Coordinates of all heavy atoms in Angstrom, one line a residue:
M1 N 74.0 155.3 108.4 CA 75.3 154.6 108.6 C 75.8 154.0 107.4 O 77.0 154.1 107.0 CB 75.1 153.5 109.7 CG 76.4 153.0 110.2 SD 77.4 154.2 111.0 CE 79.0 153.3 111.1
G2 N 74.9 153.4 106.6 CA 75.3 152.8 105.3 C 75.9 153.8 104.4 O 76.9 153.6 103.7
R3 N 75.2 155.0 104.3 CA 75.7 156.1 103.4 C 77.1 156.5 103.8 O 77.9 156.8 102.9 CB 74.8 157.3 103.5 CG 73.5 157.1 102.7 CD 72.7 158.4 102.7 NE 71.3 158.2 102.2 CZ 70.4 159.1 102.3 NH1 70.6 160.2 102.9 NH2 69.2 158.8 101.8
L4 N 77.4 156.6 105.1 CA 78.7 157.1 105.6 C 79.8 156.1 105.1 O 80.8 156.5 104.7 CB 78.7 157.2 107.1 CG 79.9 157.9 107.7 CD1 80.0 159.3 107.2 CD2 79.8 157.8 109.2
L5 N 79.5 154.8 105.3 CA 80.4 153.8 104.9 C 80.7 153.9 103.4 O 81.9 153.8 102.9 CB 79.9 152.4 105.2 CG 80.1 152.0 106.7 CD1 79.4 150.6 106.9 CD2 81.5 151.9 107.1
V6 N 79.7 154.1 102.6 CA 79.9 154.2 101.1 C 80.7 155.4 100.8 O 81.6 155.4 100.0 CB 78.5 154.3 100.4 CG1 78.7 154.7 99.0 CG2 77.8 152.9 100.5
L7 N 80.4 156.5 101.5 CA 81.2 157.8 101.3 C 82.7 157.6 101.6 O 83.6 158.0 100.8 CB 80.6 158.9 102.2 CG 81.0 160.3 101.8 CD1 80.5 160.7 100.5 CD2 80.6 161.3 102.9
I8 N 83.0 156.9 102.8 CA 84.3 156.7 103.2 C 85.0 155.8 102.1 O 86.2 156.0 101.7 CB 84.4 156.0 104.6 CG1 84.0 157.1 105.6 CG2 85.8 155.5 104.8 CD1 83.8 156.5 107.0
L9 N 84.3 154.8 101.6 CA 84.9 153.9 100.6 C 85.2 154.6 99.4 O 86.3 154.4 98.8 CB 83.8 152.8 100.4 CG 84.4 151.5 99.6 CD1 85.4 150.8 100.5 CD2 83.3 150.6 99.2
I10 N 84.3 155.5 98.9 CA 84.6 156.3 97.7 C 85.8 157.2 97.9 O 86.7 157.2 97.0 CB 83.3 157.2 97.4 CG1 82.2 156.3 96.9 CG2 83.7 158.2 96.3 CD1 80.9 157.0 96.7
V11 N 85.9 157.8 99.1 CA 87.1 158.7 99.3 C 88.4 157.9 99.3 O 89.4 158.3 98.7 CB 86.9 159.4 100.7 CG1 88.2 160.1 101.1 CG2 85.8 160.4 100.6
V12 N 88.4 156.7 99.9 CA 89.6 155.9 100.0 C 90.0 155.4 98.6 O 91.2 155.5 98.2 CB 89.3 154.6 100.9 CG1 90.5 153.6 100.8 CG2 89.2 155.1 102.4
V13 N 89.0 155.0 97.8 CA 89.3 154.6 96.4 C 89.8 155.8 95.6 O 90.8 155.6 94.8 CB 88.0 154.0 95.8 CG1 88.2 153.8 94.3 CG2 87.7 152.6 96.5
A14 N 89.2 156.9 95.8 CA 89.7 158.1 95.0 C 91.1 158.5 95.4 O 91.9 158.7 94.5 CB 88.8 159.3 95.3
V15 N 91.5 158.5 96.7 CA 92.8 158.8 97.1 C 93.8 157.7 96.5 O 94.9 158.1 96.0 CB 92.9 158.8 98.6 CG1 94.4 158.8 99.1 CG2 92.2 160.0 99.2
W16 N 93.4 156.5 96.5 CA 94.3 155.4 96.0 C 94.5 155.6 94.5 O 95.6 155.5 94.0 CB 93.6 154.1 96.3 CG 94.4 152.9 95.7 CD1 95.5 152.4 96.2 CD2 94.0 152.1 94.6 NE1 95.9 151.4 95.4 CE2 95.0 151.2 94.4 CE3 92.9 152.2 93.7 CZ2 95.0 150.2 93.4 CZ3 92.9 151.3 92.7 CH2 93.9 150.3 92.5
L17 N 93.4 156.0 93.8 CA 93.6 156.2 92.4 C 94.5 157.4 92.1 O 95.3 157.3 91.2 CB 92.2 156.4 91.7 CG 91.3 155.2 91.6 CD1 89.9 155.6 91.1 CD2 91.9 154.2 90.5
V18 N 94.4 158.4 92.8 CA 95.2 159.6 92.6 C 96.7 159.3 92.9 O 97.5 159.6 92.1 CB 94.7 160.8 93.5 CG1 95.8 161.9 93.5 CG2 93.4 161.3 93.0
K19 N 96.9 158.6 94.0 CA 98.3 158.2 94.3 C 98.9 157.3 93.2 O 100.0 157.5 92.8 CB 98.3 157.4 95.7 CG 98.3 158.4 96.9 CD 98.5 157.6 98.1 CE 98.5 158.4 99.3 NZ 98.7 157.7 100.6
R20 N 98.1 156.4 92.8 CA 98.6 155.5 91.7 C 98.9 156.2 90.4 O 99.9 156.0 89.8 CB 97.5 154.4 91.5 CG 98.1 153.1 90.8 CD 97.1 152.1 90.5 NE 96.1 152.6 89.5 CZ 95.3 151.8 88.8 NH1 95.3 150.5 89.0 NH2 94.4 152.3 88.0
A21 N 98.0 157.2 90.1 CA 98.2 158.0 88.9 C 99.4 158.8 89.0 O 100.2 158.9 88.0 CB 97.0 158.9 88.6
L22 N 99.7 159.4 90.1 CA 100.9 160.2 90.3 C 102.1 159.4 90.2 O 103.1 159.8 89.5 CB 100.8 161.0 91.7 CG 99.8 162.1 91.7 CD1 99.8 162.6 93.2 CD2 100.1 163.2 90.8
A23 N 102.2 158.3 90.9 CA 103.3 157.4 90.8 C 103.6 156.9 89.4 O 104.7 156.9 88.9 CB 103.2 156.2 91.8
G24 N 102.5 156.4 88.7 CA 102.7 155.9 87.4 C 103.1 157.0 86.4 O 103.9 156.8 85.5
G25 N 102.6 158.2 86.6 CA 102.9 159.3 85.7 C 104.4 159.6 85.7 O 105.0 159.9 84.7
K26 N 105.0 159.7 86.9 CA 106.4 159.9 87.0 C 107.2 158.9 86.2 O 108.1 159.2 85.5 CB 106.9 159.9 88.5 CG 106.5 161.1 89.2 CD 106.9 161.0 90.7 CE 106.4 162.2 91.5 NZ 106.6 162.0 92.9
R27 N 106.9 157.6 86.4 CA 107.6 156.6 85.7 C 107.5 156.7 84.2 O 108.5 156.6 83.5 CB 107.1 155.2 86.2 CG 108.0 154.6 87.3 CD 107.6 153.3 87.7 NE 106.7 153.3 88.8 CZ 105.5 152.7 88.8 NH1 105.1 151.9 87.8 NH2 104.7 152.7 89.9
S28 N 106.3 156.9 83.7 CA 106.1 157.0 82.3 C 106.7 158.2 81.7 O 107.2 158.2 80.5 CB 104.6 156.9 81.9 OG 104.0 158.1 82.4
D29 N 106.8 159.3 82.4 CA 107.5 160.5 81.9 C 108.9 160.2 81.6 O 109.4 160.6 80.6 CB 107.4 161.7 82.9 CG 106.1 162.5 82.8 OD1 105.4 162.2 81.8 OD2 105.8 163.3 83.6
V30 N 109.6 159.6 82.5 CA 111.0 159.3 82.3 C 111.2 158.3 81.1 O 112.1 158.5 80.3 CB 111.6 158.6 83.6 CG1 113.0 158.1 83.3 CG2 111.6 159.6 84.7
A31 N 110.3 157.4 81.0 CA 110.4 156.4 79.9 C 110.1 157.0 78.5 O 110.7 156.7 77.6 CB 109.5 155.3 80.1
Q32 N 109.2 158.0 78.5 CA 108.8 158.6 77.2 C 109.8 159.6 76.7 O 109.7 159.9 75.5 CB 107.4 159.3 77.4 CG 106.3 158.2 77.5 CD 105.0 158.9 77.8 OE1 104.9 160.1 77.9 NE2 103.9 158.1 77.9
K33 N 110.7 160.2 77.5 CA 111.6 161.1 77.0 C 112.9 160.5 76.6 O 113.7 160.1 77.5 CB 111.9 162.2 78.1 CG 110.7 163.2 78.3 CD 111.1 164.3 79.2 CE 109.9 165.3 79.4 NZ 110.2 166.3 80.4
P34 N 113.2 160.4 75.3 CA 114.5 159.7 74.9 C 115.6 160.7 75.2 O 115.4 161.9 75.1 CB 114.3 159.5 73.4 CG 113.3 160.5 73.0 CD 112.4 160.8 74.2
P35 N 116.8 160.2 75.5 CA 117.9 161.1 75.6 C 118.3 161.8 74.3 O 118.1 161.2 73.3 CB 119.0 160.2 76.1 CG 118.6 158.8 75.6 CD 117.1 158.8 75.6
V36 N 118.7 163.0 74.4 CA 119.1 163.8 73.2 C 120.4 163.4 72.8 O 121.4 163.3 73.6 CB 119.1 165.3 73.6 CG1 119.5 166.1 72.3 CG2 117.7 165.7 74.0
D37 N 120.5 163.1 71.5 CA 121.8 162.7 70.9 C 122.7 163.9 70.7 O 122.2 164.9 70.2 CB 121.6 162.0 69.6 CG 121.0 160.6 69.8 OD1 121.2 160.1 70.8 OD2 120.3 160.2 68.9
G38 N 123.9 163.9 71.1 CA 124.9 164.9 70.9 C 124.7 166.1 71.8 O 123.9 166.1 72.7
D39 N 125.4 167.1 71.5 CA 125.4 168.3 72.4 C 124.3 169.2 72.0 O 123.8 169.3 70.9 CB 126.7 169.1 72.2 CG 127.9 168.3 72.6 OD1 127.8 167.4 73.4 OD2 129.0 168.6 72.1
L40 N 123.8 170.0 73.0 CA 122.8 171.0 72.8 C 123.6 172.3 72.6 O 124.5 172.7 73.3 CB 121.9 171.1 73.9 CG 120.7 170.1 74.0 CD1 119.9 170.4 75.2 CD2 119.9 170.2 72.8
V41 N 123.1 173.1 71.5 CA 123.7 174.4 71.3 C 122.6 175.4 71.3 O 121.4 175.0 71.1 CB 124.5 174.4 70.0 CG1 125.7 173.5 70.0 CG2 123.6 174.1 68.8
S42 N 122.9 176.7 71.5 CA 121.9 177.7 71.5 C 122.1 178.6 70.3 O 123.2 178.8 69.9 CB 122.0 178.5 72.8 OG 123.2 179.1 72.9
C43 N 120.9 179.0 69.7 CA 120.9 179.8 68.6 C 121.5 181.2 68.9 O 121.1 181.8 69.9 CB 119.5 180.0 68.1 SG 119.3 181.1 66.7
A44 N 122.4 181.7 68.1 CA 123.0 183.0 68.4 C 122.0 184.1 68.2 O 122.2 185.2 68.7 CB 124.2 183.2 67.5
R45 N 120.9 183.9 67.5 CA 119.9 184.9 67.3 C 118.8 184.9 68.4 O 118.6 186.0 69.0 CB 119.2 184.7 65.9 CG 118.2 185.6 65.5 CD 118.8 187.0 65.1 NE 117.8 188.0 65.0 CZ 118.1 189.2 64.6 NH1 119.3 189.6 64.4 NH2 117.1 190.1 64.5
C46 N 118.2 183.8 68.6 CA 117.0 183.8 69.5 C 117.3 183.0 70.8 O 116.5 183.1 71.7 CB 115.8 183.2 68.8 SG 115.9 181.5 68.4
G47 N 118.4 182.3 70.9 CA 118.8 181.6 72.1 C 118.2 180.3 72.3 O 118.4 179.7 73.4
V48 N 117.3 179.8 71.4 CA 116.7 178.5 71.6 C 117.7 177.4 71.5 O 118.7 177.5 70.8 CB 115.6 178.3 70.5 CG1 116.2 178.0 69.1 CG2 114.7 177.2 70.9
H49 N 117.5 176.4 72.3 CA 118.5 175.3 72.4 C 118.0 174.2 71.4 O 116.9 173.9 71.4 CB 118.6 174.7 73.8 CG 119.3 175.7 74.7 ND1 118.7 176.7 75.3 CD2 120.6 175.7 75.1 CE1 119.6 177.4 76.0 NE2 120.7 176.8 76.0
L50 N 119.0 173.6 70.7 CA 118.7 172.5 69.8 C 119.9 171.7 69.6 O 121.0 172.1 70.0 CB 118.3 173.1 68.4 CG 119.3 173.8 67.6 CD1 118.8 173.9 66.1 CD2 119.6 175.3 68.1
P51 N 119.7 170.4 69.2 CA 120.9 169.5 69.0 C 121.8 170.1 68.0 O 121.4 170.7 67.0 CB 120.3 168.2 68.5 CG 118.8 168.3 68.9 CD 118.5 169.7 68.9
R52 N 123.1 169.9 68.2 CA 124.1 170.5 67.3 C 123.9 170.0 65.9 O 124.1 170.8 64.9 CB 125.5 170.1 67.8 CG 126.7 170.6 67.0 CD 128.0 170.2 67.5 NE 128.3 170.8 68.8 CZ 128.9 172.0 68.9 NH1 129.2 172.7 67.8 NH2 129.1 172.6 70.1
I53 N 123.4 168.8 65.7 CA 123.3 168.2 64.4 C 122.2 168.9 63.6 O 122.2 168.9 62.3 CB 123.0 166.7 64.5 CG1 123.2 166.0 63.1 CG2 121.6 166.4 64.9 CD1 123.3 164.5 63.2
E54 N 121.2 169.6 64.3 CA 120.2 170.3 63.6 C 120.5 171.8 63.4 O 119.7 172.5 62.8 CB 118.9 170.2 64.4 CG 118.3 168.8 64.4 CD 117.1 168.7 65.2 OE1 116.4 169.7 65.5 OE2 116.7 167.5 65.6
A55 N 121.6 172.2 64.0 CA 121.9 173.7 63.9 C 122.5 174.0 62.6 O 123.2 173.2 61.9 CB 122.9 174.0 65.0
R56 N 122.2 175.3 62.1 CA 122.9 175.8 60.9 C 124.0 176.7 61.3 O 123.9 177.5 62.2 CB 121.9 176.7 60.2 CG 120.9 176.0 59.3 CD 119.8 175.3 60.1 NE 118.7 174.9 59.3 CZ 117.7 174.1 59.7 NH1 117.8 173.7 61.0 NH2 116.7 173.8 59.0
A57 N 125.1 176.5 60.6 CA 126.3 177.3 60.9 C 126.2 178.6 60.0 O 125.9 178.5 58.9 CB 127.6 176.5 60.5
G58 N 126.5 179.7 60.7 CA 126.6 181.0 60.0 C 127.8 181.7 60.5 O 127.8 182.2 61.6
G59 N 128.9 181.8 59.7 CA 130.1 182.3 60.2 C 130.6 181.4 61.3 O 130.7 180.2 61.1
E60 N 131.0 182.0 62.4 CA 131.5 181.2 63.5 C 130.4 180.8 64.5 O 130.7 180.1 65.5 CB 132.6 182.0 64.3 CG 133.8 182.5 63.4 CD 134.7 183.4 64.2 OE1 134.3 183.8 65.3 OE2 135.8 183.7 63.7
R61 N 129.2 181.2 64.2 CA 128.1 180.9 65.2 C 127.1 179.9 64.7 O 127.1 179.6 63.5 CB 127.4 182.2 65.5 CG 128.3 183.2 66.2 CD 127.6 184.6 66.3 NE 128.5 185.5 66.9 CZ 128.5 185.8 68.2 NH1 127.7 185.2 69.0 NH2 129.3 186.7 68.7
L62 N 126.3 179.4 65.6 CA 125.3 178.4 65.2 C 123.9 179.0 65.4 O 123.6 179.8 66.3 CB 125.4 177.2 66.1 CG 126.7 176.4 65.9 CD1 126.9 175.3 67.0 CD2 126.7 175.7 64.5
Y63 N 123.0 178.6 64.5 CA 121.6 179.2 64.5 C 120.6 178.0 64.4 O 120.9 176.9 64.0 CB 121.4 180.1 63.3 CG 122.4 181.3 63.4 CD1 123.6 181.2 62.7 CD2 122.1 182.4 64.1 CE1 124.5 182.2 62.7 CE2 123.0 183.5 64.1 CZ 124.2 183.4 63.4 OH 125.1 184.4 63.5
C64 N 119.3 178.3 64.8 CA 118.3 177.3 64.8 C 117.7 177.1 63.4 O 117.1 176.1 63.2 CB 117.2 177.7 65.8 SG 116.3 179.2 65.4
S65 N 117.8 178.1 62.6 CA 117.2 178.1 61.3 C 118.0 178.9 60.2 O 118.8 179.7 60.6 CB 115.7 178.6 61.4 OG 115.8 180.0 61.7
D66 N 117.7 178.6 59.0 CA 118.3 179.4 57.9 C 118.0 180.8 58.0 O 118.9 181.7 57.8 CB 117.9 178.8 56.5 CG 118.4 177.4 56.3 OD1 119.4 177.0 56.8 OD2 117.7 176.7 55.5
E67 N 116.8 181.1 58.4 CA 116.4 182.5 58.6 C 117.2 183.2 59.6 O 117.7 184.4 59.4 CB 114.9 182.6 59.0 CG 114.4 184.0 59.3 CD 114.2 184.8 58.0 OE1 114.4 184.2 56.9 OE2 114.0 186.0 58.1
H68 N 117.5 182.6 60.8 CA 118.3 183.3 61.8 C 119.7 183.3 61.4 O 120.4 184.2 61.8 CB 118.1 182.5 63.1 CG 116.8 182.9 63.8 ND1 116.4 182.4 65.0 CD2 115.8 183.8 63.4 CE1 115.2 183.0 65.3 NE2 114.8 183.7 64.3
A69 N 120.2 182.3 60.6 CA 121.6 182.4 60.1 C 121.8 183.6 59.2 O 122.8 184.2 59.2 CB 121.9 181.1 59.4
R70 N 120.7 183.8 58.4 CA 120.8 185.0 57.5 C 120.7 186.3 58.3 O 121.4 187.2 57.9 CB 119.6 184.9 56.5 CG 119.6 185.9 55.4 CD 118.4 185.8 54.5 NE 117.1 186.1 55.2 CZ 116.7 187.3 55.4 NH1 117.4 188.4 55.0 NH2 115.6 187.5 56.0
L71 N 119.9 186.4 59.3 CA 119.8 187.6 60.1 C 121.0 187.9 60.9 O 121.3 189.0 61.3 CB 118.6 187.5 61.0 CG 117.2 187.5 60.3 CD1 116.1 187.2 61.3 CD2 117.0 188.9 59.7
G72 N 121.8 186.8 61.3 CA 123.0 187.0 62.1 C 122.7 187.1 63.6 O 121.5 186.9 64.0
P73 N 123.7 187.2 64.4 CA 123.5 187.2 65.8 C 122.7 188.3 66.3 O 122.7 189.4 65.7 CB 125.0 187.2 66.4 CG 125.8 187.8 65.3 CD 125.1 187.4 64.0
A74 N 122.0 188.1 67.5 CA 121.3 189.2 68.1 C 122.2 190.3 68.5 O 123.3 190.0 68.9 CB 120.5 188.6 69.3
R75 N 121.7 191.5 68.5 CA 122.5 192.6 69.0 C 122.8 192.5 70.5 O 121.9 192.0 71.2 CB 121.7 193.9 68.8 CG 121.7 194.3 67.3 CD 121.0 195.6 67.2 NE 120.4 195.8 65.9 CZ 119.4 196.6 65.6 NH1 118.9 197.3 66.6 NH2 118.8 196.7 64.4
A76 N 123.9 193.0 70.9 CA 124.2 193.0 72.3 C 123.3 193.9 73.0 O 122.9 194.9 72.4 CB 125.7 193.4 72.5
P77 N 122.9 193.6 74.3 CA 122.0 194.5 75.0 C 122.7 195.9 75.1 O 123.8 196.0 75.4 CB 121.9 193.8 76.4 CG 122.9 192.7 76.4 CD 123.3 192.4 75.0
Q78 N 121.8 196.9 75.0 CA 122.4 198.3 75.0 C 122.8 198.6 76.4 O 122.1 198.3 77.4 CB 121.3 199.2 74.5 CG 121.0 199.0 73.0 CD 119.9 200.0 72.6 OE1 119.2 200.6 73.4 NE2 119.8 200.1 71.3
E79 N 123.9 199.3 76.5 CA 124.3 199.8 77.8 C 123.6 201.0 78.3 O 123.2 201.8 77.4 CB 125.8 200.1 77.8 CG 126.7 198.8 77.5 CD 128.1 199.2 77.4 OE1 128.5 200.3 77.9 OE2 128.9 198.4 76.9
R80 N 123.3 201.1 79.5 CA 122.6 202.2 80.0 C 123.5 203.3 80.6 O 124.5 203.0 81.2 CB 121.6 201.8 81.2 CG 120.5 200.9 80.7 CD 119.6 200.5 81.8 NE 118.6 199.5 81.3 CZ 117.7 198.9 82.1 NH1 117.7 199.1 83.4 NH2 116.9 198.1 81.6
Ligands
ZN1 ZN1 117.0 181.2 66.3

């Protein structure tokens, strides 16, 4: 009988710890992600999203890196 009580107690404590961890995790996730300053733009070459202030301009388009600005925009998907 004593073992059963100990087992139940362990299960209850484990469930409580998991619930507390899940609730706390949600709150800290929101707090740890700072809002992004400015608009997000997508690279014309690879499509990755980045803040406009970090983007490189190449012609009329924006790119994630100097390399992609040099390579130019990705080719349009081929028509079948
Ligand atoms: Zn890119």
Side-chain angles (χ1 to χ4, degrees):
M1 191 62 194
R3 282 186 193 171
L4 189 64
L5 280 174
V6 169
L7 195 66
I8 289 170
L9 195 68
I10 289 170
V11 169
V12 168
V13 169
V15 169
W16 176 74
L17 284 172
V18 168
K19 278 186 179 179
R20 200 182 65 160
L22 288 175
K26 282 179 187 171
R27 260 183 269 130
S28 65
D29 273 351
V30 172
Q32 286 173 359
K33 286 186 180 177
V36 177
D37 290 331
D39 297 335
L40 279 178
V41 296
S42 60
C43 173
R45 179 75 190 180
C46 65
V48 73
H49 288 80
L50 69 161
R52 183 179 289 274
I53 198 167
E54 293 178 17
R56 276 76 164 170
E60 298 175 353
R61 294 169 184 270
L62 294 169
Y63 300 91
C64 67
S65 62
D66 293 333
E67 177 70 9
H68 281 182
R70 189 179 64 78
L71 290 170
R75 288 183 206 157
Q78 293 179 345
E79 292 178 18
R80 292 180 185 174

